[in-house]
Amino acid sequence: MKGRGLATYAVAYLLFLYAPVILLPLFAFNDGTIIAFPLQGFTTGWFVQLTRIEALHDSVFNSLWIALTTAVLSTCFGLFAARASARYRFPAKGGIMGLIMLPLVLPEIIVAVALLVVLLQLGIDLGAWTVILGHVLICTPFSIAILNSAFLSLDESLEEASYDLGETKWSTFRLITLPLVMPGIISSMLIAFTISLDEFIIAFFLTGNEPTLPVYLWSQLRFPTKIPIVMALGTIMLVASLLLLTAAEYFRRRGVARTGAKDSGGFL
Amino acid sequence: MSSSDGAFSRWRHSEGAQGLILVSPTFLYALLLLAAPLATIVAISFWTQDYLVMIREFTLANYIRAWTEPLFQTLMLRSVVIAVIVTAATVLLAFPIAYYVSFNVRPERKALWIFLITIPFWTSYLLRVFLWKVILGYNGVLNSGLLGLGLIDEPLTFILYNANAVVITLAHAWAPFAILPIFVALEKIDRALLEAGQDLGESRFTTFLRVTLPLAMPGVVAATLIVFIPTIGDYVTPKLVGGPDGAMISNMIQLQFMKLNNGPLGAALAISGMIIVTAISLIFLWLNRRYLKVRQ
C-alpha cells in the first residue's frame, strides 16, 4: 500500500526531473523556428546548420581544450591532496583541507569575481588560461572526493608488502598504488572534464574574447531564430555527456571490483 | 651542525612532514588562487572606485550603501527568501524519493536508480534553465498543454518572469544535490533498528518518526546546506526566467563589476551576501544541534 504510493511519487518525480531534458531532442528535430507545441514535422536541418557556424566551432574547440587541461591539472592536484589526506596525519590538516575543499560551498560568482579582480590588478590578459585557472580551482575538490575514496579502499598491506620486498617508495607507487587507483583517476578526469565543459559563471567572467561553449550559448539565447540550432547542439551535448558518464561509471565499477570492495552504487 | 641536520632529517621523515610536503602543491594553488583573491575582495570592499582609479583609503561607505539603499535591501531580502523557499521545496520533495530508493528498491537496482536521477543534471545547466522558460512561457509547453486539455481558458502568466519561475527552476536544478546526501544517510541506517522498533510495539509510522527520521537528519542537514548556500548566489536562473521582479543579488554584483565599473561596491555586496549566508547556516546548524541533537 505505502510502497505503491511512494512508487507513484517516484515516477512522477522522475517525470519532473526529465521534463526539460525530453524537450531538447523534440525541438531539435522540429521543423519550425518557434519553440512551442504542436510540433511542425521532422527535420535534421538544424543539425546541418550547426556545421556551418564558425564561431560555434571555435567555442567548442576552446571549451574542449579548457576541459581537457582542467581535467589533467585538477586530477594531479587531487592526487597529491587525496593521498596526503587519506594516508597521513599532518599539522593544520583540517584547515588546509578545508581551504582546498572550500569552492564546493562557495557560490561560483564569488570565486569568479575574486579571480577577475586579482587578474585585472596583475594586468594578466583574460583568455583560455585564466578560465582554466578558475576551473581547476572548482574541479579539484571533486577530484579529491573521488580519489580519496579510491585511496581509502586501497589495502595498505599491499604497499607494505612491496616495501618489504625491497621496492622504493616511488616504484611502489608506480607499480602497486597507481594501477590500483587508476579507475579513480580516470573517473576523476571524466567528472572534472564534464564540470569544466558545462561551467558558465567563471567562464563568463574570465574568458575575454575567446568564448567557451556555454558563454557562446548564452549569447545566442537572446536571438529567437537561433534557438532551434541551440536545441540541436544541446541534443549532441546530452548524448556526449551520457557517453562520458557511462564510461566514468564503467571505470568506477571496475575500480570497485579490482580492490575487492562491495559495490555501493553511484559516483557521488 | 650534525645534530641540527639530524633533527631536520628526522623531521623530514616524520609522518607530519611527509603529509605536508605531499599536500603542499594543492595547498599552494588554493592559497594563491583562492585565499589571496578572497582577501583582495575583502580589501577592495573597503576602498572606493573613482572612474578608473581605485582609491586605497579605508572607508565603510560601500557597506553603508549595501545595507541601507532600498534597491540592495530588496535584492538581498529576495535572494534570501527565494533561497529559503527553494531549499525547503527541494529537500521536502527529495526526501520521499531518497527514502523510496533506499528502502523500497532492490539493492541491485539502487545504482541504476541513482544513475537515472543524476542523468538529467549532466545536460548543460544553461540549457536546462532555458528549457524551463520554454515550459513555463506564455505560449509554453505547460500553457499550450493545459489549454489543449481545456483545463484553463487563457494562458497562466504567474509562472514566468517572476520569483515563482526562479523557485521552480532552482528546485529542479538542485534536486540531485538534495537526494544524494539524504540517500547516503538512509543507506547507513541499520535495518535491524527498524525491526526492533516494530517488535517493541511501534507502528510503521511511529518507527519512521522516532527511528528513521532522527537517523536521517545528518543527511537532511547536509542537503539543506548544499542547496541553500549556492542558491543565494545563483546568477543564470534569475537572469533567464526571473524577469525584473525575480532578479537576485548576483545579478547586481555582476552589474557592479562589469557594467557600472564599481568593483568596491560589488565586493561589499558579495561579502555582505556571504556573511548573511554564513550567519543563516550557522543558526540553522545551532538550532539542529540544540533541538534535534544532530551531530555532524
Side-chain angles (χ1 to χ4, degrees):
Chain A
M1 218 0 241
K2 196 181 165 205
R4 193 167 306 159
L6 264 180
T8 318
Y9 176 80
V11 172
Y13 194 88
L14 277 186
L15 277 179
F16 166 67
L17 290 187
Y18 277 82
V21 182
I22 290 168
L23 294 177
L24 264 185
L26 280 185
F27 288 112
F29 290 107
N30 178 36
D31 194 4
T33 41
I34 300 164
I35 304 293
F37 283 106
L39 297 173
Q40 303 290 317
F42 183 83
T43 178
T44 51
W46 305 122
F47 288 91
V48 177
Q49 286 204 28
L50 272 182
T51 59
R52 299 193 191 123
I53 308 169
E54 218 158 281
L56 169 73
H57 300 169
D58 291 345
S59 73
V60 169
F61 283 118
N62 198 22
S63 268
L64 286 176
W65 158 244
I66 289 173
L68 194 67
T69 317
T70 302
V72 173
L73 288 178
S74 65
T75 303
C76 288
F77 282 127
L79 271 173
F80 284 117
R83 174 77 181 173
S85 149
R87 277 284 182 275
Y88 298 93
R89 278 168 295 146
F90 49 88
K93 184 174 177 181
I96 290 175
M97 292 311 291
L99 176 69
I100 294 171
M101 301 301 270
L102 187 63
L104 277 184
V105 292
L106 216 52
E108 276 175 11
I109 190 148
I110 305 273
V111 178
V113 160
L115 277 172
L116 178 73
V117 167
V118 169
L119 291 170
L120 290 182
Q121 293 275 317
L122 294 175
I124 294 171
D125 287 333
L126 299 180
W129 272 104
T130 49
V131 179
I132 290 171
L133 288 179
H135 281 183
V136 170
L137 202 59
I138 58 160
C139 289
T140 302
F142 287 95
S143 294
I144 293 175
I146 293 166
L147 293 167
N148 209 12
S149 62
F151 278 123
L152 282 176
S153 63
L154 182 73
D155 191 349
E156 221 168 325
S157 56
L158 291 174
E159 291 173 350
E160 279 160 18
S162 163
Y163 297 142
D164 291 347
L165 292 171
E167 294 289 346
T168 63
K169 263 204 140 132
W170 170 241
S171 62
T172 301
F173 183 77
R174 198 168 51 85
L175 294 169
I176 308 290
T177 318
L178 205 54
L180 284 171
V181 294
M182 194 43 101
I185 292 175
I186 294 173
S187 158
S188 145
M189 284 182 52
L190 286 170
I191 294 286
F193 184 85
T194 318
I195 292 173
S196 165
L197 205 57
D198 188 37
E199 203 286 330
F200 170 68
I201 291 289
I202 292 175
F204 184 49
F205 275 79
L206 301 181
T207 195
N209 299 324
E210 309 162 19
T212 65
L213 183 56
V215 177
Y216 176 78
L217 278 179
W218 177 257
S219 69
Q220 297 303 298
L221 289 177
R222 262 179 277 160
F223 308 112
T225 50
K226 300 279 180 64
I227 299 305
I229 304 179
V230 171
M231 295 284 170
L233 181 63
T235 309
I236 295 176
M237 285 159 65
L238 174 63
V239 173
S241 53
L242 279 185
L243 291 177
L244 270 182
L245 283 173
T246 316
E249 174 69 9
Y250 171 75
F251 283 109
R252 193 193 61 81
R253 287 196 181 176
R254 259 188 45 183
V256 170
R258 204 180 283 193
T259 46
K262 203 171 140 254
D263 193 349
S264 52
F267 345 27
L268 298 163
Chain B
M1 181 186 146
S2 67
S3 76
S4 73
D5 254 16
F8 178 73
S9 124
R10 251 203 318 283
W11 179 81
R12 215 169 57 87
H13 287 283
S14 73
E15 185 185 341
Q18 289 197 330
L20 273 180
I21 292 167
L22 205 51
V23 83
S24 59
T26 318
F27 180 53
L28 276 181
Y29 191 83
L31 217 50
L32 284 177
L33 282 132
L34 185 64
L38 288 179
T40 312
I41 282 284
V42 173
I44 72 163
S45 74
F46 293 109
W47 296 343
T48 37
Q49 181 97 25
D50 183 19
Y51 189 51
L52 285 178
V53 199
M54 193 88 74
I55 301 170
R56 304 186 178 197
E57 276 169 33
F58 180 86
T59 169
L60 285 172
N62 299 311
Y63 284 96
I64 294 168
R65 278 191 72 189
W67 286 82
T68 55
E69 275 188 30
L71 173 65
F72 301 143
Q73 287 179 337
T74 312
L75 284 175
M76 198 68 92
L77 187 65
R78 185 187 295 144
S79 305
V80 172
V81 170
I82 287 182
V84 169
I85 297 174
V86 167
T87 309
T90 313
V91 173
L92 287 178
L93 286 173
F95 192 91
I97 192 93
Y99 184 88
Y100 174 76
V101 177
S102 179
F103 283 80
N104 294 33
V105 171
R106 274 183 286 135
E108 66 273 18
R109 309 283 302 266
K110 281 181 184 174
L112 179 69
W113 266 88
I114 294 297
F115 197 51
L116 274 179
I117 288 167
T118 40
I119 283 177
F121 300 93
W122 295 101
T123 36
S124 158
Y125 173 60
L126 274 183
L127 287 182
R128 265 184 287 134
V129 176
F130 179 77
L131 287 163
W132 276 107
K133 190 169 154 177
V134 171
I135 294 175
L136 300 172
Y138 190 78
N139 292 317
V141 174
L142 191 65
N143 274 326
S144 51
L146 290 175
L147 279 173
L149 292 172
L151 289 173
I152 51 171
D153 296 326
E154 51 187 88
L156 308 171
T157 52
F158 63 89
I159 46 174
L160 187 63
Y161 297 129
N162 55 32
N164 292 336
V166 177
V167 170
I168 295 174
T169 309
L170 285 175
H172 178 267
W174 290 100
F177 297 90
I179 295 173
L180 291 173
I182 300 175
F183 172 74
V184 169
L186 287 171
E187 280 291 282
K188 280 188 195 152
I189 296 176
D190 187 348
R191 300 302 193 260
L193 291 175
L194 306 184
E195 285 167 25
Q198 294 191 358
D199 289 348
L200 293 169
E202 299 275 5
S203 71
R204 283 186 71 158
F205 184 65
T206 50
T207 311
F208 173 78
L209 275 190
R210 296 178 61 176
V211 182
T212 317
L213 198 56
L215 288 173
M217 272 320 275
V220 174
V221 170
T224 307
L225 292 180
I226 289 174
V227 176
F228 179 74
I229 295 171
T231 301
I232 280 204
D234 195 73
Y235 173 83
V236 173
T237 306
K239 186 88 177 170
L240 275 184
V241 303
D245 298 332
M248 285 164 64
I249 197 68
S250 303
N251 306 102
M252 181 51 73
I253 295 173
Q254 191 263 348
L255 205 62
Q256 294 294 345
F257 270 101
M258 309 290 257
K259 294 263 166 60
L260 302 177
N261 194 24
N262 192 345
L265 183 57
L269 287 169
I271 289 165
S272 303
M274 286 304 298
I275 291 172
I276 292 173
V277 174
T278 315
I280 295 176
S281 308
L282 288 178
I283 293 171
F284 174 75
L285 282 177
W286 180 80
L287 285 176
N288 266 299
R289 214 161 282 181
R290 182 88 173 68
Y291 293 104
L292 295 170
K293 301 194 171 64
V294 172
R295 285 192 195 86
Q296 291 299 297

